[in-house]
Amino acid sequence: MSLNYERFTTLFLTLVWLLLASLSTGLLLSLGSGWLGVVTLWVLVLCPAALLLQSIKQRLVQPFYHLTTTIEAMRLEDYGQRFYSADQSGILAQLQAETSQLCTHLQAYKSARDHQAILLFRLIEQLPSPIAIFDQSNVLVHANDAFSNWTGKPWQTQRLTKAHHFSLVQSSGQWQFSHPSLAQQWQLRQSRIPINDSHAHLLILTDVQSVVSQAQRDAWQKMIRILSHEIHNSLSPIKSLAQTLQMLQPGADTQADFDQALAVIVQRSDGLMSFVNRYASVARQHQLHLEEVTTDTLLRPMQALYGTQLTCSVTASFTLHVDVSLMEQVLVNLLTNALEASEKPDCVEIVISKTSQYAFIDILDQGPGVSNPDNLFVPFYTTKENGKGIGLVLCKNIVEQHNGQLTLVNRTDQRGARARIQLPLG
């Protein structure tokens, strides 16, 4: 059996005492001293020597006991327990100084970590969405009032409850709802955060219906603002002219003013009616008359319409299944926008290509590019002086009804913008 430090020290000091005892006793006996001298030797020398060796052993071992206690306290995050040595210099004094500095550093780190955790908990409590924190054993350790409302009980009374009691399960590192009805109503987002020297799971529940409702409210508010603006702009001059007509006396000399005012009222009324019709056409479902048409046939009218202003490039002629009339309207709108944006009359290019699943029609210009891509497909948003803000929205509506996509982005190869029509093949 191997000797540890304590056993080795005890054995070594015992051997030293036995050697001292045997040699001193043998020396006295060889000198002719009687048993009285031997007893005196044991009482006055050997017994104090044994106590001295025992004290030396305690002196050698005791610092390690103190160090073990200090390390255990540090492991339990109790930094009030410090290693102490009476030595003012030497290795034990240096060990005391190092452990004291380590405890101070760890205590400061723990205080900062606890402060961050408190700030996180306070932030969670202020958020309106249900939020819960589960430890590595999937046990609830903290939540907010919104989570209490979601479960119907205060989260404090449900602390240390397993996650599956809330219909939350973890599979392959991903959290999800165990009930499909909850998954349809709530969106679950997750993150890992460090708490108490371990990683906890932060779960945020978002009500899908509230998000959709908010989007609908935003859309309605935007539509109401647009309608209010346009209707006000049209009704204000109509009202002013009507008031002017009320003050005019009928007669031959005022007939011209009557006719002019009535003509303006009719014109503004027609404009308002046109606006309402255009607004209704933005989301109108078109009756598609699909037919097969080759790319060459689709481009031929565009080449005839724009002539040398347009450069066409087709990697290979193939067949598309589209409503030719509506798709031509889309191309005319996009090409017109590209020509109006370009500074040169012959710098617009249309490129047609395909993959195994999709056909792509790219319209490239060399204009200033897209300055506000977020509002491109917002109804009635326009950067043109006399624009109506309807063209791109109608184009997008027609392309999407062909199960395709319309995008408008800045070019990466040079200055200008690229409008892309993506259509499914087959």
Side-chain angles (χ1 to χ4, degrees):
M1 182 177 63
S2 61
L3 296 177
N4 57 30
Y5 177 79
E6 294 176 77
R7 290 178 178 176
F8 176 80
T9 303
T10 302
L11 180 60
F12 176 77
L13 295 177
T14 302
L15 291 176
V16 170
W17 185 83
L18 291 175
L19 180 61
L20 177 63
S22 60
L23 289 176
S24 59
T25 301
L27 180 60
L28 286 179
L29 292 176
S30 63
L31 294 176
S33 176
W35 287 106
L36 182 61
V38 173
V39 172
T40 303
L41 173 67
W42 277 70
V43 172
L44 297 180
V45 178
L46 295 181
C47 287
L51 295 176
L52 177 62
L53 293 176
Q54 179 66 24
S55 176
I56 293 175
K57 175 192 172 183
Q58 293 295 329
R59 176 73 174 176
L60 293 174
V61 175
Q62 193 65 32
F64 293 98
Y65 282 109
H66 289 168
L67 183 61
T68 302
T69 303
T70 301
I71 294 176
E72 182 181 9
M74 292 166 59
R75 179 175 57 83
L76 298 176
E77 296 187 344
D78 178 12
Y79 304 110
Q81 180 73 31
R82 303 292 179 92
F83 175 78
Y84 174 76
S85 173
D87 294 348
Q88 300 298 321
S89 61
I91 188 62
L92 292 182
Q94 184 177 354
L95 182 60
Q96 176 184 345
E98 292 295 333
T99 54
S100 179
Q101 292 181 6
L102 179 60
C103 287
T104 302
H105 175 75
L106 292 177
Q107 188 172 16
Y109 173 77
K110 180 179 181 296
S111 299
R113 186 192 62 196
D114 293 343
H115 183 65
Q116 292 177 354
I118 292 174
L119 290 178
L120 175 63
F121 291 160
R122 289 181 177 177
L123 176 62
I124 288 174
E125 292 169 358
Q126 301 300 322
L127 296 178
S129 298
I131 301 177
I133 299 177
F134 296 90
D135 64 9
Q136 290 184 323
S137 302
N138 295 343
V139 170
L140 179 66
V141 295
H142 196 81
N144 61 356
D145 292 338
F147 186 81
S148 300
N149 296 332
W150 183 70
T151 59
K153 298 179 181 179
W155 71 266
Q156 293 86 348
T157 63
Q158 304 177 85
R159 194 172 182 272
L160 304 182
T161 302
K162 286 287 189 178
H164 64 83
H165 289 286
F166 306 106
S167 301
L168 295 169
V169 294
Q170 186 182 22
S171 177
S172 302
Q174 297 295 322
W175 285 85
Q176 57 189 0
F177 291 103
S178 58
H179 293 298
S181 59
L182 291 175
Q184 293 176 358
Q185 183 181 358
W186 296 89
Q187 180 185 20
L188 188 61
R189 289 179 291 177
Q190 64 181 43
S191 179
R192 299 190 67 182
I193 57 175
I195 293 181
N196 295 332
D197 293 332
S198 64
H199 284 85
H201 304 277
L202 176 67
L203 303 183
I204 304 176
L205 284 69
T206 304
D207 189 353
V208 177
Q209 296 299 325
S210 65
V211 175
V212 173
S213 299
Q214 183 62 40
Q216 292 176 343
R217 286 193 296 270
D218 293 342
W220 277 108
Q221 291 174 358
K222 183 179 294 184
M223 184 184 69
I224 290 172
R225 286 197 301 269
I226 294 172
L227 289 174
S228 300
H229 179 266
E230 292 294 328
I231 292 175
H232 180 269
N233 288 345
S234 296
L235 291 182
S236 293
I238 292 176
K239 179 181 177 181
S240 176
L241 288 173
Q243 291 174 342
T244 302
L245 290 178
Q246 285 179 340
M247 292 184 296
L248 290 176
Q249 297 296 328
D253 56 341
T254 60
Q255 186 62 39
D257 294 333
F258 268 89
D259 294 340
Q260 183 180 5
L262 290 174
V264 173
I265 291 175
V266 171
Q267 180 184 3
R268 295 308 304 161
S269 299
D270 290 340
L272 182 59
M273 184 63 68
S274 176
F275 166 79
V276 174
N277 291 334
R278 291 200 311 271
Y279 201 95
S281 68
V282 170
R284 179 165 56 93
Q285 287 294 113
H286 298 276
Q287 186 66 33
L288 299 182
H289 301 284
L290 300 178
E291 55 182 305
E292 292 185 353
V293 59
T294 64
T295 53
D296 294 335
T297 304
L298 187 64
L299 288 182
R300 193 173 297 118
M302 303 299 111
Q303 291 175 314
L305 183 62
Y306 295 101
T308 58
Q309 293 179 300
L310 179 65
T311 302
C312 297
S313 175
V314 181
T315 57
S317 181
F318 52 91
T319 301
L320 295 174
H321 199 60
V322 296
D323 186 310
V324 178
S325 177
L326 291 177
M327 195 54 61
E328 286 180 350
Q329 180 181 351
V330 171
L331 292 176
V332 168
N333 285 339
L334 296 178
L335 288 171
T336 301
N337 288 343
L339 288 170
E340 291 177 352
S342 299
E343 299 175 354
K344 299 179 181 179
D346 57 348
C347 59
V348 174
E349 182 180 5
I350 182 169
V351 179
I352 297 183
S353 59
K354 71 169 184 175
T355 62
S356 59
Q357 295 180 324
Y358 299 101
F360 300 98
I361 304 176
D362 291 334
I363 299 174
L364 308 173
D365 65 53
Q366 298 180 18
V370 180
S371 59
N372 193 351
D374 294 335
N375 293 326
L376 284 175
F377 298 102
V378 174
F380 306 103
Y381 172 81
T382 180
T383 57
K384 301 178 183 178
E385 183 177 354
N386 297 318
K388 303 299 183 181
I390 296 294
L392 283 178
V393 182
L394 289 175
C395 292
K396 181 179 177 64
N397 184 28
I398 293 173
V399 172
E400 289 180 348
Q401 290 184 44
H402 282 81
N403 296 321
Q405 292 182 353
L406 174 62
T407 57
L408 181 59
V409 297
N410 290 320
R411 297 176 64 174
T412 57
D413 56 338
Q414 65 178 68
R415 187 171 179 264
R418 183 195 71 187
R420 164 166 287 189
I421 302 171
Q422 176 181 314
L423 298 171
L425 291 175

